[in-house]
Amino acid sequence: DGPANVLKIQRMLHICAERLVTTASSSPGASAAESKTDGPANGAADDGRTASAAGPPGGAEEAKSSSAAAASGPPAGPHQPEAAAARPSSPAKDPKHQSVAVLGIALVTAGEDVGAEMALRTFDHLLHYGEAAVRRAVPLALALLKVCNPEYAVVDAMSRLTHDADAEVASNAILGLGLLGCGTNNSRVAGLLRQLAEHARDANHLFVVRIAQGLLHAGKGLVTVTPFHSDRFLCNKNAAAGLLVVLHAALDAKHTLLDKYHYLLFHLAAALMPRMLLTVDEDALELVPASVRVGQAVETVGQAGKPKTITGFQTHTTPVLLGVADRAELANDDFLPVSNTLEGVVILRPNPDAASRHEAAETTPPAAGSGAPTTTTTPASPGTTAAPDESESGAPSAEALEAAGSDATPPDADSK
């Protein structure tokens, strides 16, 4: 139904806000009411059986009718608490559907920035006022919302949840930290996990910390598990399914991941993808180094002209690593990309206009006045000797004086 479907999110929030009703037999007041209502009925039935056994045959039918009326109980009235307490209550619901609803909110809003910000505030409310099943699913929902994107605010909230009084909330928060920084080698997340490993008192928590550390350094920082690609416009359903299998297993980690079903973690392999940008030529598909600018992606929908698509960029030469919120563009027009987005493996073809410009620049001589000064020499006529240039001081050299001839009279002789 598309990202940020508000109606679906509202329906899931209603599910999360449900208060689970307990059965009547579980409460002491209900059991007392049952004992009160059962007493008169049983006594009346016993009296009826006694009367039928001792009385004449005609009185047996009257005793049966009276015993049936007594068993049915008195008519319900406004001032009879026993009748109200004896009413059957609705059976208790399994709270797991509320946990799945929390994951559904994150799954619907993960593809859009505005919806993700609104979902973050909603999860904050669920942490404060939700049931235990809802609170246990919130760390996993945060991880799904910002998978492979360790933002400061989300990491800070998750680090607080790792010290929660509920052991399952803390365990899910540790696993969520691993999914937040999966394949990023984030130093802050690595420090938090290192502290948790040093002070872990429970073997299950230590096991989850090791899993989170492995996710953080997955592929030595060269892979990602985010299901979104093509500038976060498309979602890989196989990758999303692999993530959801692991998250649903973590909802009951005691009987799945921490028990004999730990191999469910291998479903993350369906979401693993390299996060580097490679540029190849169109003929032999060999690597071609190209200059690209990598920076934070900027939303340009609805803007006129050709606005800038990235901000705070740096120029690199491919291959280069891209983050979840990063975007790349070619730094010059020497090549033309075949695809619209620069992600993964991109085929480049030479730009014919740029090649013709380079050839024209090489064949055209530099214009006068532009560039380094040039010195021109005129060829000497036959029978004459070209006079060498004067020295930098302006005085004629000795060779020039000898070439002038012997008829040159020094100025002192003329004056005499």
Side-chain angles (χ1 to χ4, degrees):
D1 294 328
N5 191 318
V6 180
L7 297 179
K8 284 189 176 295
I9 295 174
Q10 288 179 350
R11 183 178 177 184
M12 293 176 187
L13 285 175
H14 281 298
I15 295 175
C16 295
E18 290 179 356
R19 296 294 178 181
L20 302 181
V21 181
T22 58
T23 56
S25 60
S26 62
S27 59
S31 60
E34 287 178 359
S35 63
K36 288 181 182 179
T37 55
D38 291 340
N42 294 335
D46 294 339
D47 295 342
R49 284 194 297 271
T50 306
S52 62
E61 295 180 358
E62 296 178 0
K64 287 182 181 179
S65 61
S66 62
S67 63
S72 62
H79 302 291
Q80 293 180 354
E82 290 85 4
R87 271 182 268 170
S89 60
S90 59
K93 295 182 180 179
D94 191 358
K96 292 181 181 178
H97 71 289
Q98 293 183 323
S99 302
V100 177
V102 177
L103 292 180
I105 295 174
L107 189 62
V108 172
T109 58
E112 200 234 341
D113 294 335
V114 178
E117 293 296 329
M118 297 175 67
L120 287 177
R121 286 179 287 184
T122 302
F123 291 152
D124 191 22
H125 296 162
L126 293 179
L127 278 175
H128 284 85
Y129 309 111
E131 297 283 345
V134 175
R135 295 186 73 252
R136 291 168 184 170
V138 168
L140 301 176
L142 287 173
L144 180 60
L145 193 66
K146 299 289 184 180
V147 61
C148 298
N149 188 14
E151 293 183 358
Y152 183 85
V154 183
V155 172
D156 188 51
M158 200 79 79
S159 65
R160 290 196 302 268
L161 291 177
T162 56
H163 302 283
D164 195 86
D166 192 347
E168 294 190 25
V169 174
S171 176
N172 291 341
I174 295 171
L175 182 62
L177 276 177
L179 291 174
L180 275 178
C182 184
T184 61
N185 289 335
N186 187 272
S187 59
R188 188 163 181 264
V189 177
L192 292 174
L193 293 176
R194 200 178 303 114
Q195 292 178 2
L196 290 171
E198 292 174 357
H199 300 90
R201 298 181 180 178
D202 189 5
N204 289 335
H205 277 197
L206 183 59
F207 177 72
V208 178
V209 168
R210 297 307 183 197
I211 293 175
Q213 287 177 328
L215 291 175
L216 177 65
H217 304 290
K220 295 185 178 180
L222 301 179
V223 296
T224 182
V225 294
T226 178
F228 297 101
H229 59 94
S230 299
D231 278 342
R232 298 179 60 83
F233 182 70
L234 300 176
C235 178
N236 186 355
K237 295 182 179 179
N238 297 331
L243 281 172
L244 287 177
V245 168
V246 176
L247 294 177
H248 278 79
L251 292 177
D252 191 15
K254 282 186 178 180
H255 301 94
T256 55
L257 299 180
L258 301 179
D259 200 12
K260 55 185 178 180
Y261 300 106
H262 48 78
Y263 55 82
L264 291 175
L265 288 169
F266 285 109
H267 283 86
L268 286 176
L272 286 175
M273 286 289 292
R275 66 186 190 97
M276 68 277 295
L277 170 63
L278 303 175
T279 52
V280 298
D281 60 351
E282 59 178 346
D283 296 329
L285 297 181
E286 295 180 354
L287 289 177
V288 175
S291 297
V292 293
R293 289 192 289 260
V294 180
Q296 293 290 317
V298 177
E299 189 63 49
T300 59
V301 176
Q303 298 185 13
K306 292 184 177 180
K308 294 182 178 180
T309 58
I310 59 175
T311 180
F313 60 85
Q314 293 180 350
T315 304
H316 300 280
T317 302
T318 57
V320 64
L321 292 177
L322 296 179
V324 171
D326 291 342
R327 183 180 295 169
E329 62 181 20
L330 292 176
N332 49 47
D333 59 349
D334 293 343
F335 297 97
L336 295 177
V338 175
S339 60
N340 295 327
T341 59
L342 298 184
E343 290 180 7
V345 180
V346 179
I347 299 177
L348 300 180
R349 58 171 60 132
N351 188 0
D353 298 336
S356 61
R357 284 200 303 270
H358 291 326
E359 292 177 359
E362 291 176 358
T363 57
T364 304
S370 64
T374 57
T375 57
T376 57
T377 57
T378 55
S381 58
T384 61
T385 304
D389 297 335
E390 294 183 354
S391 62
E392 294 179 358
S393 60
S397 60
E399 292 80 0
L401 293 176
E402 292 179 0
S406 58
D407 53 347
T409 307
D412 295 343
D414 293 339
S415 58
K416 291 180 181 180

